[in-house]
Amino acid sequence: MGRITSFADLIGILKDKASQGKAALVSSNPKGKSLSFHLSVLRATTHDPSTPPGNRHLSALLSAGTGSRATAASAVEAVMNRLHTTGDACVALKSLIIVHHIVKHGRFILQDQLSVFPASGGRNYLKLSGFRDEKSPLMWELSSWVRWYGLYLEHLLSTSRVMGFFVASASSTIHKDEYEDMVSSLTNTDLLREVDALVGLLQEACKIPDIPFSGGKPLADKITRLVGEDYVSSVNELYSRLNEFKERSNTLSFGDTVELVCALKRHESSKERLSEIWCGNWKRSWLDGLWSLVSEVKGVIGGLEDGYEQIEKTFAGIGRREKGYESARFSDRLVIGYGDDTVRFSSGRFSNVGRFNYPVEHCVVQTTLDVL
């Protein structure tokens, strides 16, 4: 636990102890057994800015994925209630870290409950765009992280809805040959939607705030690592789809070509920022390969570069098909999961797919200040 440097810190510690004590008493009662997840959430989301959620508490929450659907729903509800009822930036960030861990490491049944919360659905379901914690300069600074991280996770869930599986999830694995067959079976329309979604996710990752100077660095470092892992997975997914477009360039309609160029232009606008934040000095050749592929794709589809300014104005609406961030209701698309938990697309796009095992090479994530 961090040092007590202000009266607000003391109040936060007292709140943590009081809420955890109350939850422990209730959960010890057999009738209150379902509240054990609530206690784990409280212990993982303290008011201390120097400690991210502990692995023990995260594991306890992820274990809900091995139980029934009702058990998984209880765990997700505990996390979301904590997120939506707090006004503390540290608590909100730690709640979002738990949400991110569910996306990345949770079993399908737990991810599914997250994707359909709340039952009414809707846009901006994390509801953090107006979050403000004015208790101290640090909390004000961390509030910008809450707003950005909430929006980033909504992009991640929305992108996963478009892709049909949870991006960067350990539960989304398929053998390489099957993966390549799956990508090659996509229609041009599906490929364009997925490229557009992946570009949007990478652009949102570029908006990560600066590391706070007045404290809270452990929280920022933890989030940066998680988003950095997403970055590697997203780039790999984008690379596969751009390579597929290069192979089928002669089959693209004029509208498809314009939409693809628009997406590539958007991606190139983030080139410097992406390299600065996420790559540092690690394996430049890997990232250079992506940009080289972008140039190749633009070259083979040909003829649009000189007139891009006019094209962009004419087709301003193209590339935004159902773009709204709806908080990822995975209704008619497959969300790849574990064994019998998988469900299928109505299109049958993944009809023969069991699990992803597509190799993703991990990187060392570099912030603007240091290498984590």
Side-chain angles (χ1 to χ4, degrees), residues 297-340:
V297 172
K298 288 165 61 180
V300 295
I301 60 180
L304 289 178
E305 289 304 297
D306 294 337
Y308 175 74
E309 293 290 338
Q310 184 61 39
I311 289 172
E312 186 180 41
K313 294 178 182 178
T314 304
F315 294 91
I318 295 181
R320 303 296 188 271
R321 297 173 183 168
E322 301 178 17
K323 178 69 176 176
Y325 296 99
E326 313 157 38
S327 304
R329 278 205 172 272
F330 297 81
S331 54
D332 56 352
R333 301 289 300 268
L334 172 70
V335 181
I336 301 298
Y338 283 82
D340 294 334

Side-chain angles (χ1 to χ4, degrees), residues 279-292:
C279 295
N281 296 319
W282 73 277
K283 295 190 176 180
R284 284 284 181 181
S285 59
W286 180 80
L287 186 63
D288 290 343
L290 172 66
W291 298 119
S292 176

Side-chain angles (χ1 to χ4, degrees), residues 248-301:
R248 62 173 76 175
S249 58
N250 292 333
T251 69
L252 297 179
S253 67
F254 177 74
D256 289 341
T257 303
V258 171
E259 188 170 351
L260 180 57
V261 169
C262 289
L264 295 178
K265 282 289 186 179
R266 286 172 55 219
H267 186 51
E268 286 183 313
S269 69
S270 305
K271 180 177 180 179
E272 183 176 347
R273 181 67 171 161
L274 283 171
S275 301
E276 173 189 349
I277 299 175
W278 300 116
C279 295
N281 296 319
W282 73 277
K283 295 190 176 180
R284 284 284 181 181
S285 59
W286 180 80
L287 186 63
D288 290 343
L290 172 66
W291 298 119
S292 176
L293 178 59
V294 169
S295 297
E296 287 181 41
V297 172
K298 288 165 61 180
V300 295
I301 60 180

Side-chain angles (χ1 to χ4, degrees), residues 68-78 109-110 113 117:
S68 65
R69 190 168 299 276
T71 299
S74 296
V76 170
E77 184 178 10
I109 192 172
L110 194 59
Q113 290 302 306
F117 186 96

Side-chain angles (χ1 to χ4, degrees), residues 59-72:
S59 297
L61 289 166
L62 292 178
S63 69
T66 62
S68 65
R69 190 168 299 276
T71 299

Side-chain angles (χ1 to χ4, degrees), residues 93-112:
L93 281 177
K94 293 179 184 183
S95 299
L96 291 172
I97 289 173
I98 295 174
V99 171
H100 205 163
H101 268 271
I102 291 175
V103 172
K104 293 178 68 65
H105 304 295
R107 285 181 174 266
F108 167 73
I109 192 172
L110 194 59
Q111 295 172 330
D112 181 57

